[in-house]
Amino acid sequence: MVKAAVDLHIHSCLSPCASNDMTPGNIVMMSKLKGLDIISVCDHNHTGNLEAVAKVAGEVGILFVPGLELETSEEIHVLCYFPSLESALNMQAALKDFYTDITNREDIFGEQWIMDENDRPVRKVEHLLTAATKLDLYKCVSLVREMGGVPVPAHVDRNSYSIISNLGSVPEDLGFNTLELSRYTTKTDFLDKYPEYSGKFLITSSDAHDLGMILERESFIELERLSVYDVFERLKGCGG
């Protein structure tokens, strides 16, 4: 078994709420400095920086899991993890039909940059990425799984943009094995409040919007091997 240090929820400079310093190279090198084995970039409603991060991560020996933080029409944040860049890009193509047509106001929300692997700007995304999509929760989960991905409710302990705060509970018929906790609670405190989720696999991520927020070696998952396949098996509940 491998005990891997992970941070599976990092935002890049494509997310308007993230620092412009969150470039692909900076994210990967900071993760390397902090001793992480596996990372995932999950920008709001877009996969534009995944290819660049994947290239840099591969060069320094960090396992990269392509991701996305999708906001449903109920304003629930769902982390969407994919087994390959191809499947993540297929998800991006499908998302085009579900965006809310709101132009980004950079003076209010921040810039939304797609970068290359050398941290050079490629283009800006013009529509506001932090607006809810037109996908409801059930359609979101179905689409992610159709693309070969694994959906994970994000920061379920938070009082906003979480499945518990918005719906009151995690619907069992959605078949979630894994729930994400924010860095501001512990698994013990969460389960003291919600003992009904003691059978779930709980992960803790940084939800980093600046470089300093990226986790140290403090959140771990046990895997058979250090591979994207094994990460997926664990998130789905088939391993570990």
Side-chain angles (χ1 to χ4, degrees):
M1 295 289 288
V2 177
K3 188 176 182 180
V6 302
D7 191 343
L8 297 179
H9 187 173
I10 300 172
H11 288 271
S12 81
C13 53
L14 178 54
S15 294
C17 43
S19 166
N20 283 345
D21 290 336
M22 296 294 276
T23 63
N26 285 346
I27 289 169
V28 171
M29 297 315 297
M30 181 60 76
S31 299
K32 186 72 172 178
L33 285 171
K34 292 195 171 190
L36 296 178
D37 302 304
I38 307 171
I39 63 170
S40 181
V41 165
C42 296
D43 281 312
H44 289 291
N45 297 325
H46 209 289
T47 64
N49 277 338
L50 297 187
E51 186 173 1
V53 178
K55 288 179 180 178
V56 183
E59 291 172 357
V60 302
I62 291 179
L63 185 66
F64 179 67
V65 179
L68 166 73
E69 185 174 24
L70 196 148
E71 184 173 337
T72 72
S73 59
E74 303 94 342
E75 297 187 340
I76 295 167
H77 287 187
V78 179
L79 297 170
C80 311
Y81 298 111
F82 299 95
S84 66
L85 280 173
E86 181 182 6
S87 58
L89 296 178
N90 288 339
M91 181 69 182
Q92 180 61 50
L95 271 180
K96 293 178 181 178
D97 295 330
F98 299 102
Y99 282 129
T100 305
D101 189 18
I102 301 174
T103 301
N104 182 34
R105 284 280 306 274
E106 291 183 356
D107 57 324
I108 297 174
F109 301 109
E111 298 174 328
Q112 301 178 152
W113 281 107
I114 293 176
M115 314 284 283
D116 69 12
E117 65 271 24
N118 296 308
D119 289 351
R120 294 177 299 208
V122 175
R123 66 179 178 90
K124 287 181 180 179
V125 174
E126 299 298 333
H127 66 275
L128 180 62
L129 292 176
T130 51
T133 67
K134 298 173 185 176
L135 281 167
D136 66 38
L137 178 61
Y138 281 80
K139 289 179 181 177
C140 164
V141 169
S142 177
L143 183 58
V144 173
R145 288 175 175 155
E146 181 183 330
M147 299 295 172
V150 177
V152 173
H155 39 66
V156 295
D157 55 295
R158 279 181 36 180
N159 293 324
S160 60
Y161 298 111
S162 79
I163 195 169
I164 294 177
S165 67
N166 288 27
L167 299 185
S169 65
V170 180
E172 281 300 315
D173 60 346
L174 285 170
F176 293 122
N177 174 67
T178 301
L179 306 177
E180 186 212 40
L181 304 181
S182 77
R183 66 192 302 160
Y184 303 109
T185 192
T186 65
K187 294 176 183 179
T188 299
D189 287 345
F190 177 76
L191 292 176
D192 282 346
K193 187 174 182 180
Y194 300 105
E196 62 267 35
Y197 302 124
S198 60
K200 303 294 186 184
F201 179 49
L202 303 177
I203 60 173
T204 299
S205 308
S206 67
D207 195 4
H209 286 67
D210 62 62
L211 293 170
M213 289 178 66
I214 295 173
L215 292 183
E216 308 279 345
R217 290 183 62 85
E218 55 196 282
S219 181
F220 297 88
I221 59 175
E222 291 191 349
L223 306 168
E224 289 290 334
R225 297 163 302 165
L226 197 63
S227 72
V228 173
Y229 173 82
D230 284 83
V231 173
F232 268 74
E233 291 298 287
R234 192 67 186 92
L235 295 176
K236 289 188 293 186
C238 303

